Amino acid sequence: MTVLWTNRHNMNDGLNHIAKSLICAGIFDSVDCHTLFIPAVQKHLLQDLSQAQEEDLTTDYKLDRDALFQKLQSKLRPKEKNSRTISGAELASLLRLLVAAANEGSLSTIPGRWRVFIDGLKESARGDCLVFYDAEMSIIYSKYEEGPINATKLQLWHASAANRTVALLEQLLFGLDDVINVSLVGLQKDMTDRFVKAQDVNQKKIQIKCTEVQRRMEVEAESWLDQIVLPVLTSELEQRYREIRSDIVEKFRSGLSELHDSDYFLTSLDQLQNSLGNIHDTFLLKNRQALEKLLEKARDSAIGYFRDNSRNVDRIPRLEAELQRVLNGAELEAFAVYEREGSQANEESLFPAYYSMVKTGISQLKQMLVEENLQLVHSACEGTASELVRKFRGNTGPSRIALPLNETDLNKKLEVELDLMLSEYSQINGPFSSTDEYKDVIKTLKSRLLLVCEERHKDNVEAYTKEVLLCHPL
């Protein structure tokens, strides 16, 4: 081995003696020191030879230096340790250690220094490689703005970064094969640990991102459906929902295009579709309720129209034909009102159901109006009958028929007046002669008139009795 240092003292013999007793003698067969003349004459250059140019060096120094290079070239041969050739990097490291130790005046610490140096170099290289790996990984993190990353892309990036990091380690420890192998194991473990943590964090980011986009899409879908003015036909709502659902799912997929191979993506997509289904059911229910309100209003309007336009305001009984004309006309218009006001729901299954309700409601009102009209007929007939009974009493009273009168003549007069009353009843209420009310009242009228006739017969008997008493007093 050749040790180089600037001329301090002539210590060749002493150094040779020390070198032979060193532990590193197992590495180097001999130590050959070569003295160099003082390199410069200026103080500041001697303090820092790195500042010296070629022309600043002394002639003797340059001659000694050139002679040393020639000597090295002539004697240089590959060095070995434990039957293995020492690499250039190892040799350079040893040279630095030897020069540093020689400059400090002691070579006894060279073996310890070598181990410390190698350990330091190993740790330094490992630390630098981890910094490099982190820097490489930060590139993809920055690219995705610290957000979630496709797991496959992250895995490939890690693999690439790890390969480049291993290459860097081999460069930093070039020639130190044993050190490289040991350092590589620790470095790969460190990178694996870092990547496992990065994967865990990335999975959490993916989950958060998928959930965030899912919630945003749900709100957006509900917002779009809220813009639909209800009620609408169910078919139109279904069509609009299908369009919205398709757009929302596509936006969800597009917003998470990098994460399609993630389980969280598939889970969130399934949850989104379920949520959209629930939103669909909610709006379908809202629309059905709105349709029901619409048809209820149309039903009530139709029945109300029929009621208002069929009502007997003047309370005069109507003939059957007239009543049916009014009722049928009002019924047709009422159904037209229902169809017009419920047109928004004319394709719904509810429409016929509420149409039947209108029909039932109108039928009930028609029945009530028919019964009401019969009551009016009965009241009118009763009124006529009462008036005729009063008139019959007057026409058969003492002012019109002088009593006593023989029974035959009295009966004839009473029969004539009775027939006149019945005829007048028929003339006044004849249009209603087909009704039971007319028939019932005329029967009652006959009974009442006959009672009056009985009263007149009694009056006639009393008149005869008075006349007899006047002629034959007791």
Side-chain angles (χ1 to χ4, degrees):
M1 174 182 176
T2 303
V3 181
L4 299 90
W5 65 87
T6 57
N7 187 20
R8 294 171 53 196
H9 298 287
N10 189 3
M11 299 176 62
N12 290 352
D13 295 336
L15 288 174
N16 278 318
H17 175 72
I18 295 172
K20 291 180 179 178
S21 63
L22 290 174
I23 297 175
C24 61
I27 302 174
F28 306 108
D29 296 335
S30 64
V31 177
D32 186 4
C33 298
H34 185 87
T35 303
L36 298 177
F37 189 75
I38 185 170
V41 296
Q42 297 179 24
K43 184 185 295 183
H44 72 281
L45 293 178
L46 290 173
Q47 291 176 344
D48 187 359
L49 284 177
S50 66
Q51 302 296 323
Q53 302 296 324
E54 182 69 16
E55 59 270 16
D56 296 327
L57 301 175
T58 64
T59 302
D60 290 336
Y61 174 79
K62 289 190 284 186
L63 290 174
D64 290 342
R65 179 197 64 188
D66 294 341
L68 174 61
F69 287 159
Q70 291 177 358
K71 183 178 181 180
L72 288 173
Q73 290 175 356
S74 64
K75 293 186 176 182
L76 189 63
R77 67 181 186 276
K79 303 298 181 181
E80 294 183 352
K81 178 185 178 183
N82 299 328
S83 300
R84 186 178 66 83
T85 301
I86 298 176
S87 67
E90 290 177 299
L91 186 58
S93 299
L94 285 172
L95 288 173
R96 292 190 186 95
L97 284 172
L98 290 171
V99 170
N103 285 334
E104 292 175 0
S106 174
L107 298 179
S108 61
T109 59
I110 288 176
R113 284 175 177 270
W114 172 248
R115 286 192 297 273
V116 171
F117 175 78
I118 292 300
D119 290 342
L121 186 62
K122 180 174 64 175
E123 291 302 319
S124 175
R126 183 173 171 181
D128 290 343
C129 287
L130 288 176
V131 170
F132 175 80
Y133 171 80
D134 290 339
E136 287 291 295
M137 294 302 293
S138 68
I139 295 174
I140 193 170
Y141 299 148
S142 299
K143 179 181 178 181
Y144 287 91
E145 299 178 349
E146 302 299 327
I149 306 169
N150 178 277
T152 302
K153 288 186 176 181
L154 185 61
Q155 177 70 46
L156 292 175
W157 190 276
H158 157 73
S160 176
N163 289 336
R164 290 195 294 273
T165 303
V166 169
L168 175 61
L169 179 69
E170 292 173 346
Q171 291 176 5
L172 293 175
L173 299 177
F174 178 74
L176 305 175
D177 295 341
D178 292 341
V179 178
I180 289 175
N181 292 333
V182 174
S183 297
L184 185 58
V185 174
L187 177 62
Q188 288 177 333
K189 181 180 183 303
D190 289 341
M191 290 190 295
T192 299
D193 291 343
R194 276 171 159 76
F195 182 61
V196 168
K197 291 180 180 178
Q199 281 182 312
D200 184 59
V201 172
N202 189 58
Q203 287 299 311
K204 289 182 172 65
K205 289 181 179 179
I206 291 174
Q207 182 180 17
I208 292 171
K209 182 66 175 179
C210 290
T211 302
E212 175 191 339
V213 176
Q214 175 195 336
R215 296 289 179 261
R216 189 167 70 248
M217 291 300 98
E218 291 170 356
V219 171
E220 187 170 338
E222 196 162 359
S223 176
W224 283 358
L225 286 170
D226 275 332
Q227 295 175 15
I228 301 175
V229 179
L230 302 179
V232 296
L233 289 174
T234 301
S235 58
E236 293 180 11
L237 182 60
E238 291 284 7
Q239 176 62 28
R240 183 64 181 131
Y241 167 75
R242 285 192 293 270
E243 294 172 357
I244 291 173
R245 183 181 184 278
S246 177
D247 290 343
I248 288 296
V249 171
E250 180 59 30
K251 288 184 71 174
F252 178 80
R253 289 181 176 275
S254 176
L256 299 171
S257 58
E258 292 283 336
L259 307 175
H260 285 185
D261 59 351
S262 168
D263 291 339
Y264 290 118
F265 171 82
L266 298 176
T267 299
S268 293
L269 177 60
D270 185 58
Q271 291 175 349
L272 174 62
Q273 291 172 336
N274 290 336
S275 296
L276 291 176
N278 293 334
I279 293 172
H280 162 266
D281 294 343
T282 299
F283 273 85
L284 206 61
L285 178 59
K286 287 182 180 179
N287 190 58
R288 182 179 178 86
Q289 292 171 343
L291 288 170
E292 288 177 348
K293 288 183 179 179
L294 174 73
L295 292 176
E296 285 172 2
K297 183 179 178 182
R299 175 200 64 193
D300 295 343
S301 295
I303 294 175
Y305 178 89
F306 178 84
R307 182 187 297 108
D308 294 340
N309 288 272
S310 61
R311 182 182 292 117
N312 192 338
V313 180
D314 53 14
R315 309 298 294 169
I316 296 175
R318 288 181 274 199
L319 298 176
E320 178 67 19
E322 180 188 1
L323 178 62
Q324 291 303 318
R325 180 185 62 79
V326 171
L327 295 180
N328 292 337
E331 183 177 22
L332 288 175
E333 288 299 322
F335 284 126
V337 168
Y338 173 76
E339 291 175 356
R340 183 171 59 254
E341 294 191 10
S343 60
Q344 279 185 285
N346 56 9
E347 295 180 10
E348 302 295 329
S349 59
L350 293 171
F351 190 84
Y354 277 86
Y355 187 93
S356 297
M357 293 181 193
V358 173
K359 190 173 183 179
T360 300
I362 289 176
S363 296
Q364 291 173 349
L365 287 175
K366 286 173 70 174
Q367 183 63 33
M368 290 172 58
L369 289 170
V370 168
E371 292 176 359
E372 179 186 70
N373 192 64
L374 291 176
Q375 290 176 355
L376 291 174
V377 169
H378 184 271
S379 297
C381 291
E382 281 286 351
T384 301
S386 297
E387 179 60 26
L388 291 175
V389 169
R390 184 191 63 76
K391 186 176 180 180
F392 183 74
R393 284 182 181 279
N395 291 345
T396 59
S399 62
R400 301 292 294 274
I401 299 177
L403 297 177
L405 190 66
N406 65 71
E407 288 295 315
T408 300
D409 292 337
L410 180 60
N411 284 333
K412 287 181 180 180
K413 286 183 178 292
L414 290 175
E415 288 177 0
V416 169
E417 288 297 330
L418 189 147
D419 290 340
L420 288 174
M421 295 302 103
L422 293 177
S423 177
E424 188 173 347
Y425 176 84
S426 297
Q427 290 176 359
I428 295 173
N429 299 307
F432 306 108
S433 60
S434 61
T435 65
D436 292 337
E437 285 70 18
Y438 174 91
K439 295 173 183 178
D440 290 342
V441 172
I442 197 171
K443 289 180 181 178
T444 303
L445 175 60
K446 287 180 181 178
S447 299
R448 293 173 66 184
L449 291 176
L450 290 174
L451 288 175
V452 174
C453 290
E454 290 179 2
E455 291 177 3
R456 293 298 176 258
H457 281 289
K458 289 180 180 179
D459 292 340
N460 192 44
V461 171
E462 289 178 357
Y464 269 118
T465 302
K466 287 180 180 179
E467 189 172 327
V468 170
L469 291 174
L470 289 173
C471 295
H472 305 282
L474 295 174

